[in-house]
């Protein structure tokens, strides 16, 4: 059996693996909304991978099919935009090494932020299958949590969640409740800090955010929004909704059946520790990729590549013998 005759078999198996766990509805949604075509999936992934040589200044520490696919989905299979996002993902980590040196759930700063509900993650998705993240801004105790640790906890949570291919396609909703968020707390949200958050979430992460909802925001949060507006893409600006005290306008976009009682929903009050317990529970394995530091991820990925290469050589040899 020649390598050429084996490639369709390998492609079909890989393609099945890439779509494993997806419902038929989500597969169709990916086709209609994201331009995802199972017949050209590997070609799309490889074309993005081929662009890596154009950026020798960036260490692309992970380039496997599963990883690149989430970036394609985040940019609706526009390969140029996909590669730009992939490059920005690793560039952001290289430029902010201190944020990712201990990027794992048991890092003291990340652990404190998670235990304080940064972020909260609802078990029930919205009516479009989007995962709902919530932040109660007034819970930010600046003597306990730095803003950087909160951002790290949010990014780590997204790394865990984005492993789910359904969420790569359906995306996320973010609700920020500004109730009792003081002017003193707001004064700590400097332009540099806010710019860092925008770079980390909007420009450098492969997640589809279907909406960012502000509720109960005071006037000084409106002022803050005015400051950050120039850093936001048009698409992001169109997805930010300032509801104030009007929960009816929130319910027009997210059904009450998907929301806890704090947001006028029919679900019980949100348990602030539920997501932290999910990550810190007895079944949590801190050896998975998203818990590793930048350097450790590189080492682990090199080992995985070597193992994968040996496995494929062995597998190909078996197939040749059988033929």
């Amino acid at each position: 059996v020649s390598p050429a005759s084996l490639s369709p078999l390998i492609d079909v198996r890989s393609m099945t693996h890439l779509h494993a766990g997806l419902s038929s509805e989500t597969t169709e949604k990916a086709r209609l909304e994201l331009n995802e075509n199972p017949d050209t999936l590997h070609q799309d992934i490889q074309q993005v991978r081929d662009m890596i040589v154009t950026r020798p200044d960036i260490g692309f520490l992970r380039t496997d099919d599963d990883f690149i696919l989430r970036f394609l989905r985040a940019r609706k299979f526009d390969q140029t935009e996909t590669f730009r996002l992939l490059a920005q993902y690793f560039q952001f980590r290289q430029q902010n090494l201190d944020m990712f040196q201990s990027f794992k759930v048991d890092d003291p700063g990340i652990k404190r932020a998670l235990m304080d509900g940064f972020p909260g993650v609802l078990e029930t998705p919205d009516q479009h299958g989007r995962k709902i993240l919530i932040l109660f801004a007034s819970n930010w105790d600046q003597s306990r949590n730095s803003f950087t640790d909160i951002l790290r906890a949010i990014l780590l949570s997204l790394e865990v969640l984005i492993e789910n291919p359904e969420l790569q396609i359906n995306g996320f909703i973010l609700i920020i409740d500004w109730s009792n968020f003081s002017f003193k707390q707001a004064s700590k949200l400097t332009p540099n800090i806010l710019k860092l958050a925008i770079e980390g979430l909007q420009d450098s992460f492969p997640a589809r955010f279907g909406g960012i909802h502000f509720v109960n925001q005071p006037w000084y949060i409106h002022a803050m929004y005015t400051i950050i507006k120039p850093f936001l893409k048009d698409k992001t600006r169109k997805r930010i909704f300032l509801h104030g005290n009007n929960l009816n306008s929130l319910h027009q976009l997210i059904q009450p059946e998907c929301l806890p009682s704090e947001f006028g929903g029919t679900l019980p009050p949100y348990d602030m520790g539920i997501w932290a317990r999910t990550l810190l529970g007895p079944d949590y394995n801190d050896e998975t990729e998203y818990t590793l530091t930048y350097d450790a991820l590189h080492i682990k990925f090199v080992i995985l590549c070597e193992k994968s290469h040996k496995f494929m050589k062995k597998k190909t040899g078996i197939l040749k013998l059988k033929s």
Side-chain angles (χ1 to χ4, degrees), residues 40-53:
T40 62
L41 201 55
H42 286 281
Q43 182 182 345
D44 294 332
I45 290 169
Q46 190 57 47
Q47 286 180 351
V48 172
R49 191 183 285 122
D50 289 343
M51 297 181 196
I52 288 172
V53 295

Side-chain angles (χ1 to χ4, degrees), residues 16 53 76 85 231 256 302 307:
T16 304
V53 295
K76 297 187 175 182
L85 179 62
F231 299 116
V302 168
K307 286 181 178 177

Side-chain angles (χ1 to χ4, degrees), residues 12-256:
V12 168
R13 285 178 176 174
S14 301
M15 186 179 70
T16 304
H17 160 68
L18 291 172
H19 279 133
L22 287 180
S23 66
S24 56
E25 294 84 358
T26 309
T27 302
E28 181 65 5
K29 183 176 184 178
R31 186 182 71 82
L32 293 173
E33 295 185 13
L34 307 184
N35 308 308
E36 185 167 326
N37 182 352
D39 296 331
T40 62
L41 201 55
H42 286 281
Q43 182 182 345
D44 294 332
I45 290 169
Q46 190 57 47
Q47 286 180 351
V48 172
R49 191 183 285 122
D50 289 343
M51 297 181 196
I52 288 172
V53 295
T54 67
R55 292 298 305 272
D57 56 309
I58 295 176
F60 291 88
L61 305 185
R62 189 177 169 191
T63 59
D64 56 281
D65 287 359
D66 283 319
F67 191 69
I68 291 177
L69 179 56
R70 68 187 63 171
F71 288 85
L72 279 162
R73 285 168 170 162
R75 290 297 180 261
K76 297 187 175 182
F77 279 75
D78 181 318
Q79 292 162 6
T80 302
E81 288 300 313
T82 295
F83 178 69
R84 181 175 287 115
L85 179 62
L86 180 67
Q88 288 171 333
Y89 174 91
F90 285 115
Q91 190 171 38
F92 180 77
R93 279 149 180 74
Q94 285 177 200
Q95 291 173 345
N96 299 282
L97 276 174
D98 55 328
M99 286 180 61
F100 298 96
Q101 283 300 326
S102 180
F103 193 52
K104 51 187 179 180
V105 74
D106 58 0
D107 171 83
I110 291 177
K111 186 174 181 179
R112 280 195 303 269
L114 289 170
M115 294 303 291
D116 289 346
F118 295 109
V121 181
L122 300 186
E123 293 181 276
T124 305
D126 79 347
Q127 65 271 21
H128 302 295
R130 298 176 293 197
K131 182 65 81 173
I132 302 173
L133 278 65
I134 57 175
L135 298 173
F136 293 97
S138 63
N139 285 357
W140 180 25
D141 180 348
Q142 290 149 359
S143 65
R144 179 176 163 84
N145 299 120
S146 71
F147 183 85
T148 302
D149 281 338
I150 290 174
L151 178 58
R152 293 168 72 224
I154 293 170
L155 287 170
L156 177 60
S157 297
L158 286 170
E159 290 281 4
V160 176
L161 292 165
I162 205 67
E163 291 289 327
N164 183 340
E166 291 268 338
L167 295 180
Q168 295 170 17
I169 295 165
N170 291 327
F172 299 86
I173 292 289
L174 176 61
I175 304 175
I176 306 177
D177 187 347
W178 297 99
S179 301
N180 303 314
F181 189 72
S182 69
F183 183 82
K184 183 179 179 181
Q185 286 174 303
S187 68
K188 302 295 183 182
L189 296 174
T190 64
N192 285 342
I193 280 177
L194 295 170
K195 187 170 180 287
L196 183 70
I198 292 166
E199 287 174 354
L201 294 168
Q202 172 190 260
D203 302 327
S204 310
F205 196 84
R208 303 183 66 214
F209 279 97
I212 300 169
H213 301 269
F214 288 12
V215 297
N216 302 314
Q217 72 276 6
W219 67 267
Y220 39 87
I221 295 304
H222 281 275
M224 180 197 73
Y225 178 61
T226 304
I227 292 171
I228 68 172
K229 215 171 179 180
F231 299 116
L232 300 175
K233 295 177 180 176
D234 288 340
K235 186 168 69 173
T236 304
R237 281 199 290 264
K238 289 174 183 173
R239 292 176 181 172
I240 293 179
F241 303 91
L242 307 179
H243 299 285
N245 298 320
N246 183 7
L247 293 179
N248 287 331
S249 66
L250 177 68
H251 297 161
Q252 288 172 11
L253 299 169
I254 307 173
Q255 293 176 356

